[in-house]
Amino acid sequence: MKTIVLYESSSGSTERYAKDIANRIGADVMQLKKFKWKNRDEYDCFIFGGWVLNGKIQGLDDFLARYDDLSNKHILIFSSGLSFPSPEGRKEIISRNILDLYHVRYYQMRGGFDINKLNWRYKLAMKLMIKKVTGDPKSSPDQVAMYSSFLTTPVEYYDYEKVEKIVTVVNKLSLEPIDVEVK
C-alpha cells in the first residue's frame, strides 16, 4: 500500500510528526500546498496532519476539499496543538472541523510551541493573547507563569503513543483490501 503524509505546520511540531510517521511506514511526505493532486491515484492511503488554532485544524479545509477525489482511499487525520488531548477536546475538534461528516480516522496529539517560528500575524496574536491572560486578575499564578514563559522558552511535547497508534493502524490497513466501487 503506497501512502503519503501531507501536513500543514506552523512551528514545526506537526511537520516533525508527519516526517516521523512517514519514515516509520515508508511513506512519502510533503507540505499539503506542494502536493500535486493529479498524482493522487498513485496512493492508497492519505494521512493529513495540521496544527490547531482556536479549535480549527489548519489546512484541513483545503485537504477535505479533495475528499471526493479520494474515494476508495484510506484517510487518516491528525492534529497537533499545545493543549492536552482529552476526550472532550477531541469531540470539540471533531465538531468544529465537521470530521463526523467524513469517513476518516482522527488522532489528537500534543504538539509544541515556539513563538519565534510563527509568522508575524500569529506572533502578534499570540502576544496579545498572552498579555490578556497575564493581565487578567482571574488568571492563576501558574497560568501567568506558563503563558509568560511562551514568550521566551520554546515548549516541546511529543506523543510517542499516538505516533505508534497511527503506524499500527496504517500497517493493519495495508493488509486490508480497499473496497472498489463497481460502476
Side-chain angles (χ1 to χ4, degrees):
M1 178 173 80
K2 191 164 180 186
T3 301
I4 186 161
V5 182
L6 302 170
Y7 67 91
E8 188 71 38
S9 189
S10 174
S11 65
S13 293
T14 309
E15 179 179 12
R16 179 179 175 202
Y17 281 130
K19 288 181 176 180
D20 287 353
I21 291 166
N23 185 50
R24 295 272 315 276
I25 60 176
D28 295 336
V29 62
M30 71 178 58
Q31 289 180 317
L32 176 64
K33 63 185 172 191
K34 293 184 179 179
F35 182 67
K36 306 249 185 291
W37 285 97
K38 66 182 179 186
N39 298 331
R40 69 184 176 275
D41 290 335
E42 295 176 23
Y43 299 97
D44 305 302
C45 181
F46 284 78
I47 301 172
F48 173 76
W51 58 286
V52 177
L53 177 66
N54 295 326
K56 292 289 289 174
I57 302 171
Q58 302 304 296
L60 182 64
D61 289 343
D62 293 335
F63 178 77
L64 291 177
R66 299 297 191 140
Y67 182 79
D68 289 341
D69 295 339
L70 302 177
S71 62
N72 301 320
K73 309 284 184 181
H74 296 294
I75 301 172
L76 289 82
I77 294 173
F78 71 89
S79 65
S80 69
L82 197 52
S83 63
F84 289 101
S86 68
E88 297 80 25
R90 184 177 189 280
K91 285 180 189 175
E92 178 69 20
I93 290 174
I94 289 170
S95 175
R96 295 221 39 210
N97 293 276
I98 62 168
L99 288 175
D100 48 350
L101 297 180
Y102 298 90
H103 183 72
V104 299
R105 292 170 175 86
Y106 169 66
Y107 305 88
Q108 180 188 21
M109 302 158 103
R110 185 136 193 234
F113 179 75
D114 184 349
I115 198 165
N116 296 313
K117 291 182 179 180
L118 299 178
N119 71 37
W120 69 270
R121 286 178 291 171
Y122 292 125
K123 190 181 291 188
L124 177 62
M126 193 66 178
K127 285 181 178 181
L128 290 171
M129 191 271 303
I130 290 170
K131 185 176 180 179
K132 181 179 178 182
V133 170
T134 57
D136 185 347
K138 295 178 186 172
S139 295
S140 71
D142 287 341
Q143 286 175 311
V144 171
M146 180 182 72
Y147 280 100
S148 296
S149 71
F150 290 160
L151 295 172
T152 58
T153 308
V155 178
E156 186 63 39
Y157 297 100
Y158 192 83
D159 195 335
Y160 294 96
E161 289 179 25
K162 292 279 178 51
V163 169
E164 188 60 36
K165 175 97 174 167
I166 291 171
V167 168
T168 300
V169 167
V170 172
N171 286 334
K172 285 181 181 177
L173 289 173
S174 69
L175 301 174
E176 294 178 11
I178 298 174
D179 294 332
V180 178
E181 201 173 283
V182 179
K183 294 183 179 183

